[in-house]
Amino acid sequence: MELPSLDRRDMLKVWLLGAAAVALPFQASLTAKSASRISSRKLPKPYTLPFAVPPVLPKAYEDATTDYYVVRQQAFVGRILPGVDTPLFGYNGTVPGPTIKATHGRRTVVRQINELPDQHPSLGYVPWTSTHLHGMPSEPQYDGYAGDNSQPGQWKDYHYPNNCEARTLWYHDHGVHHTAENVYMGLAAQYHLTDAVEQALPIPKGQYDVPLMLGDASFAESGALLWDDHSHSGHYGDVILVNGVPWPTMKVTQRKYRFRVLNASVARGYKLKLSNGQPFQVIATDGGLMSAPQSVTQITVGMAERYEIVIDFAAIKPGQKIQLVNLGVKNAIDYDHTGKIMQFEVTADPFDPDNNLVPAALAPAHSAMLLTPAQAKVKRYMRVERTNGLWTINGQTWDDVEKGDFNPIFANPQPGDVEMWEIENKSGGWFHPVHIHFVDFQVVSRNGKPPRPEEKGPKDVVYVGEGEKVRVLMRFSKPGGYHGRYMIHCHNLSHEDHDMMTQFQIGAHDVDCDPVKTAPPKYGNPPVWS
Ligand code: C2O
Ligand code: CU
Ligand code: CU
């Protein structure tokens, strides 16, 4: 096993405790059987609980151009483990939150009301929130900027243009320094954007189009969620959740299903595979449909990555069961059952035979996939690493951005510019799924070689593995399009919070697009839509 590189703080521990002592806890935790302190009798056996899908959020109001939604961020006591009460934070009291369904060309306004308590029940911090719609090219003031925090008692209307291609997005908390805990507590949900191209395809739809939000949790003796971020390296739970249910079993019929896989874990990466080794097809990535499906037997899913996959159960005999398993990735702490995700039980039930295809040509190539490196006006280099106990990007942290009154920027492309960024992770000890807000990019190369098959579609998060160098290519907005400041960060939420985050600026920064000042959250009762 390659040992993680030691930073100064770790070196201090070595000095204080001796090398053997510091190596031990890390190795011990790598082979630990469980993280939860609750009696193991209270943990369900894998594949014994029924699969569930998050509810769809009903519209609160609509007019000629826009759909309006209301989301209340609330603390509540829910049940993840059967018969065990677990304090959670949820959007409208569900974990995961309700799915929002949006249509290209119709705008949405989502009113986020922070009704959380003044303090987190066990960690004691103030749960301010900032809601990011991950995957949407929003204006800066509605992008869930880390400094644009709604305090408990405040609300804010987020406006979304829905002007991009059909895709699986997700909305999640982005409150500065507590994103990890807030998302872990439940502030995450899917958002599906559809368009005419997607609707015309004969791919699985309706009940055969299924969200799969992956998470991992561990539980204290009381049933509360246990939080241990291993000195800001990340939280790793021993219970795998799919749409909030531990290792569920889903009954399926003998046809194709489309699964919208989203890794909503704080720090765990997954390598997914079917237990029978059966191939499946990747049809869409973060930024929407691929032009052609990719047939694979496994995919690696870093935090915040979305992969839409189609699994065909047609050849599996009724009564048979197959499992979606996790082969694991380097530097995620594995426990006894983290290699299991969920089970499919094939039934002989009748099914709708329509939309049961994956055509060889899915969609016209996404504009990001048509870019060539020669179009890049600038090439930039980004180094992600741990320095002096802090997670940094080119040696900088979000704290540096805040100290500079939000003025420091990593790049300043003009609207319409194409740039190529090389992101390098020299460490052997960590992987970093790097997310660039606002854009869809093409993964040009991974260590000088072509990207993995599942990455051959538009992306907004790229898995920068141990010792890896990844190049991404993107166009920033368009002339006359949105301008302003957007975040770049590692989507290991503990890394993001401490403090592996910076920003770039498209064109000019103005009063009309200041992420903090233009549309600040408010106290009091929101007006009623009519
Ligand atoms: Cu999914 Cu800046 O986040
Ligand atoms: Cu994002
Ligand atoms: Cu990271």
Side-chain angles (χ1 to χ4, degrees):
M1 189 195 81
E2 206 180 343
L3 280 173
S5 56
L6 297 174
D7 62 25
R8 204 172 66 192
R9 204 163 66 175
D10 293 333
M11 289 308 280
L12 192 67
K13 276 194 248 162
V14 176
W15 181 68
L16 291 170
L17 303 169
V22 77
L24 202 61
F26 189 75
Q27 290 186 332
S29 58
L30 277 179
T31 55
K33 291 181 162 23
S34 64
S36 292
R37 308 236 175 90
I38 195 166
S39 148
S40 59
R41 283 177 297 109
K42 296 203 170 152
L43 296 179
K45 275 224 185 109
Y47 314 138
T48 55
L49 295 175
F51 180 77
V53 165
V56 172
L57 186 64
K59 280 177 211 175
Y61 178 68
E62 66 177 276
D63 62 23
T65 59
T66 309
D67 296 325
Y68 298 79
Y69 294 93
V70 179
V71 174
R72 296 173 185 277
Q73 303 162 4
Q74 294 164 326
F76 67 105
V77 176
R79 289 237 160 129
I80 291 176
L81 306 174
V84 175
D85 287 345
T86 302
L88 298 166
F89 288 170
Y91 293 125
N92 289 352
T94 70
V95 171
T99 304
I100 294 178
K101 301 266 193 186
T103 307
H104 181 98
R106 277 190 69 72
R107 302 175 61 86
T108 44
V109 173
V110 180
R111 175 167 294 164
Q112 290 282 352
I113 307 176
N114 185 342
E115 295 180 351
L116 295 168
D118 291 333
Q119 282 197 345
H120 180 282
S122 55
L123 300 172
Y125 67 88
V126 178
W128 57 69
T129 60
S130 177
T131 308
H132 173 49
L133 179 53
H134 183 142
M136 179 67 70
S138 305
E139 290 177 276
Q141 64 272 32
Y142 303 123
D143 197 43
Y145 195 71
D148 181 28
N149 297 307
S150 297
Q151 303 296 328
Q154 289 194 304
W155 61 276
K156 168 164 172 148
D157 286 347
Y158 289 82
H159 296 242
Y160 302 122
N162 296 322
N163 56 356
C164 53
E165 298 80 359
R167 60 187 62 186
T168 301
L169 306 92
W170 62 308
Y171 59 104
H172 65 78
D173 186 56
H174 220 300
V176 70
H177 299 316
H178 295 295
T179 296
E181 296 93 321
N182 287 346
V183 169
Y184 181 57
M185 288 292 285
L187 294 178
Q190 288 201 357
Y191 181 111
H192 301 166
L193 175 64
T194 186
D195 66 7
V197 172
E198 184 208 23
Q199 281 164 20
L201 287 172
I203 56 177
K205 298 200 166 83
Q207 61 170 308
Y208 306 114
D209 172 1
V210 183
L212 282 193
M213 268 174 82
L214 308 182
D216 57 325
S218 45
F219 295 85
E221 218 164 304
S222 66
L225 292 175
L226 197 72
W227 178 251
D228 175 4
D229 72 358
H230 300 90
S231 325
H232 300 164
S233 296
H235 177 87
Y236 301 92
D238 53 349
V239 176
I240 301 292
L241 306 174
V242 180
N243 298 336
V245 181
W247 308 285
T249 288
M250 179 187 184
K251 289 204 158 91
V252 294
T253 54
Q254 290 177 289
R255 55 156 291 152
K256 292 186 173 66
Y257 285 70
R258 168 188 186 182
F259 295 101
R260 298 176 187 249
V261 177
L262 156 65
N263 178 355
S265 281
V266 168
R268 181 178 297 285
Y270 299 86
K271 196 181 284 177
L272 303 177
K273 187 180 182 296
L274 289 165
S275 54
N276 61 357
Q278 179 182 328
F280 51 94
Q281 288 177 295
V282 183
I283 61 165
T285 49
D286 308 335
L289 290 161
M290 297 173 122
S291 46
Q294 303 286 318
S295 183
V296 298
T297 53
Q298 61 176 54
I299 53 171
T300 301
V301 193
M303 293 77 84
E305 285 189 286
R306 286 90 72 210
Y307 290 107
E308 295 186 29
I309 61 174
V310 173
I311 304 178
D312 194 352
F313 300 102
I316 300 174
K317 290 202 189 70
Q320 292 213 329
K321 294 168 180 162
I322 61 172
Q323 293 85 33
L324 183 66
V325 297
N326 173 25
L327 302 177
V329 299
K330 269 205 268 177
N331 294 301
I333 301 174
D334 293 325
Y335 298 109
D336 270 2
H337 298 295
T338 49
K340 305 180 173 81
I341 306 285
M342 67 179 290
Q343 176 168 266
F344 302 103
E345 182 181 342
V346 182
T347 71
D349 292 349
F351 56 83
D352 180 352
D354 287 346
N355 298 315
N356 198 15
L357 293 171
V358 176
L362 288 166
H366 183 289
S367 57
M369 302 310 291
L370 295 171
L371 297 174
T372 62
Q375 287 173 274
K377 196 166 150 188
V378 186
K379 295 193 172 79
R380 296 185 202 274
Y381 174 75
M382 184 180 279
R383 196 176 68 247
V384 285
E385 65 187 346
R386 189 168 207 179
T387 12
N388 298 335
L390 285 174
W391 301 104
T392 64
I393 299 179
N394 285 359
Q396 304 282 297
T397 63
W398 188 252
D399 193 45
D400 296 319
V401 173
E402 286 184 339
K403 282 191 187 126
D405 197 20
F406 297 110
N407 290 312
I409 49 177
F410 169 77
N412 186 203
Q414 296 309 301
D417 280 2
V418 176
E419 296 197 357
M420 182 149 80
W421 293 4
E422 181 172 88
I423 312 170
E424 183 169 24
N425 170 10
K426 285 194 180 158
S427 147
W430 325 102
F431 66 94
H432 304 288
V434 174
H435 173 41
I436 307 173
H437 279 227
F438 190 84
V439 295
D440 295 331
F441 55 70
Q442 174 190 149
V443 183
V444 175
S445 63
R446 175 176 290 287
N447 302 321
K449 302 205 189 73
R452 302 193 260 261
E454 67 265 31
E455 294 177 306
K456 293 184 175 159
K459 303 266 306 142
D460 56 38
V461 182
V462 67
Y463 194 107
V464 188
E466 296 79 355
E468 288 195 319
K469 209 186 257 184
V470 173
R471 289 190 176 164
V472 299
L473 184 64
M474 64 226 135
R475 186 188 298 280
F476 293 88
S477 193
K478 52 175 189 268
Y482 290 165
H483 56 108
R485 294 174 181 163
Y486 294 96
M487 296 173 287
I488 307 164
H489 59 88
C490 177
H491 225 292
N492 175 319
L493 299 178
S494 298
H495 297 187
E496 171 190 331
D497 282 336
H498 308 281
D499 215 6
M500 196 176 240
M501 183 156 71
T502 183
Q503 61 176 354
F504 65 99
Q505 179 176 313
I506 304 174
H509 169 73
D510 256 319
V511 282
D512 67 350
C513 66
D514 187 301
V516 179
K517 294 178 196 147
T518 304
K522 298 187 179 86
Y523 283 103
N525 290 326
V528 175
W529 288 313
S530 58

